[in-house]
Amino acid sequence: MMTAREGRRKSRGWRRYTITLLFGGLFAALCVTLLVSKPPLTGVMERGQHAHTAVAWTFAYLGAAQVPHDTQHLLALMEQHPHVSFWAGSVNHAAQQDQAVTGAVPGLQQNEVGLQPVPRSFFPVFDGGGAGAADAQRFPHIPDGQLPGYGRTVYFVDYGEARFWFLNAARLAQEPSAQLDWLDRTAADNPQLHRIVLLQQEPAQPEVWDRLAASGADLVLIGARLYAPESAVTVRPEAGYRSSAHHGWAEWTMSGSQGGQPLMVHGQGSRLEASLPADSAGRDADRLVLDAAGLRQTAAVQEQAPVSIGAMWRYRAGGPDVRAEVPQGLDLTGETPARSQVPPSREDWRSPEYDDSGWHWARAPFGRSVDGTRSRNIRTPLPPQQQSPVYYFRKTFVLDQEATGAKEWLLHTAFEDGFVAYLNGVEIARDSIQAGLVDHRSLASPHDGGIFETISIANYRSLLVPGVNTLAVEVHTSHPDSPEMWFDMSLSYKK
């Protein structure tokens, strides 16, 4: 028989066991919570690494693809590219055949008997005719009545970081104002970074192209032709590229795609790359690359670029023979920013009066890279120089009285590793390089190039003058032998 003492001892043992079990359960729950919630163990640094990561996206365009015009071939192409979830092309690429596609196909609309299903990821560009009842059944995913009186033939959709406008070319030729006014309205409230317009036929009226530019269109796709603002093109195709007859636009006529493959357009941040597939010999695909950072146009505010992306610049390698005076009021330690806006003497390389006629003359982007893809994007290669980690660049441009009165001025800069920019001899911006005095021996902090960053220089607009102005830039690498360097820049203003 258990004594009272033994009972108390057993009771205490059970209490200890219960408490231990309870704490064990709490500890296990805490561990599971930590694993599931993924706390920010690296704190602010972790957020800083990912906060500005641009989302990559891709769409396929069938304008240049030489494939039979029917839904079965469209489905076959989509099966070859399962990673692409947005397709666009002529409505004829989804042409109706006599025999319906049988079986359940994921992502397809089931239509009336006798009609083939149409992939929900395919968005057609209609020809001059209207969209009939059959098309309404086959494309129920297309917005209807966005522009009254045009049914499904005129609409826009958002995908990735772009807004796509599908226009009716035949009616645009007859009554351009209706679609163009609608385009302006829907562009004005557009939160997307890129603006892409698709048509079946090329508009002949100059006013159409002017309005497309004013609305901020990055790409205009018409059959086998691609149009882009010439100032935004950073990499030109090797074949079929030229300045268009439409003012301010570049034109790329794409040859029939190898194997009937589509044009792939890849977007990330402000960059768009349109590429054809590699040929049968395995040679690299032809492509066009543009950066929309220098455009930034809306229907209400149009941005003009006196210095465009990919412009021609004077340049030379740095060295002790390039004269650079110490600016007035400069704190050599960099602790106090210089406030003087007095330009240097005409012997200083930053001066608007400096004689740079002996410098080289070439097109941006400048630089070098060991990466094959990046190196192909460089228009003017610059070798490393043992005596200095810096290259100097100068660009003159002309402004009228109206432009000098603009209040919003922007620098769009792609650089590696650091830079200092001067407007008419006065410093206006610097990044990834020490404060204070900088000369031909100064090293920059590491910084990846190729992506444009925007800096407001509205506080320096008083430096601008009607007539000739000079933008001067020094680009430093983190070591004289650095294998990576990059520079391109545009200067723009908003009306």
Side-chain angles (χ1 to χ4, degrees), residues 130-333:
D135 287 322
Q137 294 177 17
R138 298 175 64 233
F139 301 106
H141 58 290
I142 295 175
D144 184 15
Q146 286 187 340
L147 178 58
Y150 284 76
R152 285 182 167 85
T153 67
V154 174
Y155 61 98
F156 72 81
V157 292
D158 293 338
Y159 174 75
E161 291 187 291
R163 174 164 288 184
F164 296 77
W165 283 270
F166 296 77
L167 303 184
N168 186 320
R171 294 186 64 176
L172 187 68
Q174 300 168 2
E175 46 181 15
S177 60
Q179 293 183 68
L180 294 175
D181 291 345
W182 171 79
L183 176 63
D184 287 345
R185 291 193 302 272
T186 53
D189 61 1
N190 173 28
Q192 302 297 324
L193 180 60
H194 296 286
R195 300 168 181 185
I196 299 172
V197 177
L198 300 97
L199 293 147
Q200 280 273 47
Q201 301 168 10
E202 181 177 351
Q205 312 99 305
E207 68 172 292
V208 173
W209 292 96
D210 292 343
R211 294 282 293 275
L212 290 175
S215 69
D218 302 350
L219 290 180
V220 179
L221 298 171
I222 307 172
R225 287 181 178 161
L226 178 154
Y227 295 85
E230 194 162 19
S231 63
V233 176
T234 59
V235 177
R236 300 179 178 183
E238 295 182 0
Y241 179 88
R242 65 174 184 173
S243 293
S244 172
H246 309 299
H247 178 70
W249 293 89
E251 173 186 328
W252 179 24
T253 301
M254 301 167 281
S255 59
S257 300
Q258 295 291 332
Q261 293 298 309
L263 175 78
M264 291 294 179
V265 179
H266 309 279
Q268 186 167 22
S270 61
R271 187 175 186 270
L272 286 181
E273 176 177 324
S275 60
L276 293 171
D279 62 19
S280 56
R283 288 186 289 268
D284 289 340
D286 210 358
R287 64 200 181 108
L288 179 145
V289 179
L290 66 83
D291 197 296
L295 298 176
R296 297 294 184 269
Q297 300 169 338
T298 67
V301 180
Q302 183 175 349
E303 187 166 335
Q304 302 289 333
V307 179
S308 63
I309 293 172
M312 300 290 292
W313 291 73
R314 294 281 186 183
Y315 73 96
R316 63 153 293 168
D321 55 327
V322 181
R323 181 170 176 176
E325 302 169 354
V326 177
Q328 280 189 22
L330 178 68
D331 181 355
L332 301 185
T333 66

Side-chain angles (χ1 to χ4, degrees), residues 324-331 338 340 342 344 348 350 422 425 427 437:
E325 302 169 354
V326 177
Q328 280 189 22
L330 178 68
D331 181 355
S340 173
V342 178
D348 190 301
R350 297 164 292 193
Y422 308 87
E427 180 181 334
L437 183 63

Side-chain angles (χ1 to χ4, degrees), residues 392-455:
Y392 298 119
F393 301 88
R394 287 171 54 88
K395 174 68 177 177
T396 58
F397 57 96
V398 178
L399 296 178
D400 57 23
Q401 187 70 46
E402 180 183 1
T404 58
K407 294 184 178 180
E408 188 170 1
W409 286 85
L410 301 170
L411 279 180
H412 306 289
T413 312
F415 60 96
E416 186 168 351
D417 289 296
F419 80 96
V420 186
Y422 308 87
L423 181 58
N424 289 333
V426 176
E427 180 181 334
I428 57 172
R430 72 168 65 193
D431 201 342
S432 296
I433 197 167
Q434 69 191 42
L437 183 63
V438 173
D439 64 15
H440 70 279
R441 299 162 295 185
S442 300
L443 299 176
S445 301
H447 178 278
D448 291 336
I451 300 298
F452 282 85
E453 301 176 23
T454 301
I455 301 172

